């Protein structure tokens, strides 16, 4: 009998606490809900690799785990992203943007919906391992020219790696600072590419809008403890496209070549294998051209019980477009993000 009374008392206390919490939640104006938003970088080319421009939101169909999704925003190249209504038509930019709560846990300033989808951030990861001794100056020249050519990118960061990662120049719009940082790099120890790439991706994932990592590698990885498959999956889940330039001929490094090809393709990027300094410059120019022609699409996923890996497919609509090729990331795993500001707390699963 006493046991039953104790259980009843505990249940009554739990119900009372739950009702009190619910009442406070209803009365508080500081409770926010942020639903999932998935952003995609999409390249569309013909059979010869020429970019297809001028497409409209209605030309794209997005599927997640086979479920057709409604696009929420759309942009071509470096044009500002435009919000779309339920039917995929453009919404006037005069509308009020929803506001995210201030004081996010990653130290970011208050952000509006427009800030979440705008901007282009490029992280350059430079191999300064002992593989680089012979072509070091040529590599610095190629990276410097690439940075100068990224006139439309909002911000650029320069990282270098050998056994460890060095954040030579954090994300900045100051091109002079970046060029000086390139010249300050020196060749060092053995190469831990995948370790360094994972850390770079984690930094990139903290930012909103389009995120790209461009890797300049001069040899295979011989020091990492992180498998490349895990690195690729994190990049896909964080919405970061990876481009890789290897100075080793593909036929000389078949294992690294296969890994680079798989990793970049899975994230919507591309891999290049440069035989000489001219090929290096051409590879960087191709990446810049790719960034200028990407379409940016985002959507809020419909109800999906799958909390694991979600497959994403982007198709072109209409017979005249079916002959073209689409390149983007092929899926993601939801990454929960917490925002908090004092007593105000928002929990979301916002996937860039």
């Amino acid at each position: 009998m006493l046991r039953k009374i104790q259980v009843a008392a505990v249940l009554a206390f739990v119900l009372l606490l739950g009702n009190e919490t619910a009442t406070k939640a209803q009365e508080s104006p500081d409770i926010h809900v942020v639903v999932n938003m998935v952003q995609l970088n999409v390249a569309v080319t013909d059979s010869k690799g020429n970019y297809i421009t001028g497409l409209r939101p209605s030309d794209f169909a997005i599927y997640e785990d086979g479920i057709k999704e409604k696009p929420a925003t759309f942009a071509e190249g470096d044009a500002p992203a435009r919000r779309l209504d339920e039917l995929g038509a453009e919404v006037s930019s005069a509308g009020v943007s929803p506001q995210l709560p201030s004081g996010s846990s990653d130290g970011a300033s208050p952000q509006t919906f427009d800030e979440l989808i705008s901007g282009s951030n490029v992280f350059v990861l430079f191999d300064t391992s002992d593989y680089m001794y012979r072509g070091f100056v040529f590599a610095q020249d190629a990276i410097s020219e690439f940075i100068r050519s990224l006139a439309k990118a909002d911000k650029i960061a320069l990282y270098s790696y050998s056994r460890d990662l060095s954040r030579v120049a954090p994300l900045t719009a100051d091109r002079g600072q970046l060029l000086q940082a390139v010249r300050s790099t020196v060749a060092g120890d053995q190469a831990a590419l995948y370790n360094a790439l994972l850390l770079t991706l984690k930094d990139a994932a903290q930012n909103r809008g389009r995120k790209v990592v461009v890797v300049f590698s001069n040899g295979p990885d011989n020091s990492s403890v992180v498998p490349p498959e895990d690195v690729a999956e994190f990049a896909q889940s964080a919405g970061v496209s990876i481009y890789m330039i290897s100075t080793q001929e593909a036929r000389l490094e078949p294992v690294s070549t296969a890994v680079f090809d798989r990793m970049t393709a899975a994230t919507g990027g591309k891999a290049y294998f440069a035989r000489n300094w001219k090929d290096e410059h051409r590879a960087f120019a191709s990446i810049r051209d790719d960034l200028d022609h990407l379409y940016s699409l985002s959507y809020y996923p419909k109800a999906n019980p799958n909390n694991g890996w979600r497959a994403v497919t982007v198709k072109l609509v209409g017979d005249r477009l079916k002959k073209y090729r689409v390149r983007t990331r092929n899926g993601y795993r939801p990454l929960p993000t917490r925002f908090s500001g004092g007593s105000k707390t928002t929990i979301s699963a916002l996937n860039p």
Side-chain angles (χ1 to χ4, degrees):
M1 183 66 180
L2 180 60
R3 176 64 175 172
K4 292 182 179 179
I5 294 175
Q6 289 175 334
V7 171
V10 170
L11 289 174
F13 176 74
V14 170
L15 290 173
L16 179 63
L17 181 61
N19 290 335
E20 181 181 355
T21 303
T23 301
K24 289 182 178 179
Q26 292 172 357
E27 295 176 351
S28 173
D30 298 325
I31 294 177
H32 304 268
V33 176
V34 182
V35 296
N36 296 352
M37 184 174 74
V38 177
Q39 292 180 258
L40 302 171
N41 298 328
V42 182
V44 182
T45 57
D46 62 17
S47 59
K48 296 181 179 179
N50 299 312
Y51 295 99
I52 306 302
T53 60
L55 297 179
R56 300 166 298 177
S58 58
D59 293 323
F60 294 89
I62 306 170
Y63 297 87
E64 180 180 294
D65 282 350
I67 304 169
K68 189 173 183 180
E69 306 290 351
K70 295 178 180 178
T73 65
F74 177 83
E76 180 180 357
D78 287 290
R82 307 188 301 274
R83 279 179 288 159
L84 308 174
D85 62 17
E86 289 294 315
L87 299 177
E90 182 178 349
V91 177
S92 171
S93 59
V96 178
S97 299
Q99 181 78 39
L100 286 181
S102 61
S104 66
S105 60
D106 60 4
S109 58
Q111 294 173 307
T112 64
F113 177 84
D114 292 331
E115 288 171 328
L116 286 174
I117 59 176
S118 65
S120 181
N121 300 305
V122 179
F123 289 73
V124 179
L125 181 58
F126 179 24
D127 180 353
T128 56
S129 67
D130 49 12
Y131 287 121
M132 285 297 301
Y133 283 126
R134 286 193 302 172
F136 199 79
V137 175
F138 295 112
Q140 287 178 320
D141 288 342
I143 292 173
S144 296
E145 182 179 320
F146 177 62
I147 289 173
R148 291 191 192 96
S149 72
L150 290 176
K152 297 180 181 179
D154 289 349
K155 293 182 179 180
I156 305 171
L158 176 69
Y159 290 4
S160 67
Y161 75 93
S162 51
R163 187 179 293 275
D164 299 310
L165 177 71
S166 176
R167 295 174 175 84
V168 186
L171 209 58
T172 178
D174 187 341
R175 300 303 192 264
Q177 177 184 343
L178 290 161
L179 295 174
Q180 184 177 1
V182 173
R183 294 302 174 189
S184 71
T185 55
V186 294
D189 209 334
Q190 291 183 315
L193 167 58
Y194 303 125
N195 287 357
L197 180 53
L198 180 59
L199 292 174
T200 304
L201 290 167
K202 288 185 176 181
D203 284 0
Q206 300 302 313
N207 298 275
R208 305 301 182 187
R210 181 187 297 171
K211 300 175 287 293
V212 172
V213 172
V214 179
V215 181
F216 187 99
S217 170
N218 193 45
D221 187 311
N222 57 14
S223 297
S224 287
V225 296
V226 179
E229 293 78 13
D230 290 355
V231 177
E233 181 176 314
F234 183 87
Q236 290 170 281
S237 299
V240 185
S241 299
I242 299 176
Y243 294 81
M244 302 191 76
I245 301 174
S246 174
T247 62
Q248 298 295 314
E249 292 186 51
R251 64 181 179 82
L252 300 178
E253 289 288 344
V255 175
S256 295
T257 297
V259 171
F260 291 177
D261 280 336
R262 287 198 306 268
M263 179 179 293
T264 54
T267 64
K270 297 174 71 175
Y272 302 83
F273 300 92
R275 294 173 296 178
N276 52 50
W277 64 271
K278 290 183 180 179
D279 283 350
E280 294 171 13
H281 284 270
R282 280 193 285 265
F284 276 119
S286 177
I287 294 172
R288 182 199 63 229
D289 198 29
D290 204 61
L291 298 181
D292 287 343
H293 291 90
L294 290 177
Y295 291 93
S296 297
L297 295 164
S298 72
Y299 67 94
Y300 294 105
K302 294 179 181 177
N304 188 344
N306 179 14
N307 292 321
W309 182 259
R310 298 181 177 185
V312 174
T313 304
V314 178
K315 299 180 179 180
L316 296 175
V317 178
D319 292 337
R320 70 179 183 87
L321 300 178
K322 289 183 178 179
K323 60 184 176 181
Y324 299 135
R325 300 173 180 176
V326 175
R327 172 165 44 86
T328 189
R329 58 169 161 156
N330 56 25
Y332 73 98
R333 189 182 301 276
L335 299 175
T337 303
R338 290 180 178 268
F339 296 90
S340 64
S343 59
K344 308 171 186 178
T345 303
T346 298
I347 301 178
S348 70
L350 183 65
N351 287 274

